Amino acid sequence: MALVLCAVASGHATPVAGAAPAFGWPLEPRPAITREFDPPAQDWLPGHRGVDLAARPGQTVLAAGDGTVAFAGTVAGKPVVSIDHAGGLRTTYEPVVAAVTAGRRVRSGDPLGTVSAGHDGCPVPACLHWGLRRGRDDYLDPLPLVQRPVIRLLPVDGG
């Protein structure tokens, strides 16, 4: 019987194709999660396309992984920073007053800016909304970037 190495996260087995890029939490110390990822049933419906992390106003926001700043500015009146990573991934951070500019290369843990108060629905003084997507429209839960998956050997032949 042949075996294949798989990562199991949220009940789904995904083949492991080599070393994953290193990602870390965008806040230190490790923050509490105040709102989980809750994707909509259809792309056009409302949902929560990221996670909210408890923060302090003025707290430093860190790059979750190596990449290039794709955007640092205001969207719909909110300050936002976006980082493009290898493999077509993009992380977003809001509300963040940027200390970086578009085009700048960053390494995991580099400061991006500071958290502003005023994130809608935040139950603490400030929240960082941390998002992840692949491509333009494929929103993903960013927590698997920083939480260890369970690794299991599964039979290839279904036995």
Side-chain angles (χ1 to χ4, degrees):
M1 167 175 33
L3 297 175
V4 64
L5 183 63
C6 290
V8 178
S10 304
H12 301 289
T14 305
V16 176
F23 283 89
W25 287 94
L27 296 172
E28 288 183 0
R30 179 180 170 167
I33 299 163
T34 63
R35 187 171 175 197
E36 299 275 344
F37 179 69
D38 183 20
Q42 301 293 330
D43 291 342
W44 63 87
L45 294 174
H48 194 243
R49 293 169 175 87
V51 296
D52 290 347
L53 306 174
R56 298 180 322 273
Q59 185 173 355
T60 299
V61 176
L62 308 171
D66 297 353
T68 302
V69 177
F71 180 82
T74 304
V75 175
K78 297 176 187 172
V80 176
V81 175
S82 296
I83 309 291
D84 283 343
H85 306 278
L89 295 177
R90 176 177 281 188
T91 52
T92 58
Y93 312 79
E94 78 166 72
V96 174
V97 177
V100 293
T101 56
R104 178 175 168 193
R105 293 273 310 146
V106 293
R107 309 262 312 150
S108 183
D110 283 353
L112 300 177
T114 56
V115 176
S116 289
H119 182 62
D120 291 341
C122 181
V124 294
C127 286
L128 174 68
H129 178 82
W130 183 35
L132 173 67
R133 71 178 199 224
R134 179 177 289 117
R136 282 185 55 104
D137 301 316
D138 190 11
Y139 288 88
L140 306 169
D141 183 349
L143 292 180
L145 293 176
V146 293
Q147 293 178 337
R148 247 188 206 163
V150 176
I151 304 293
R152 296 191 180 132
L153 290 175
L154 299 175
V156 173
D157 59 5

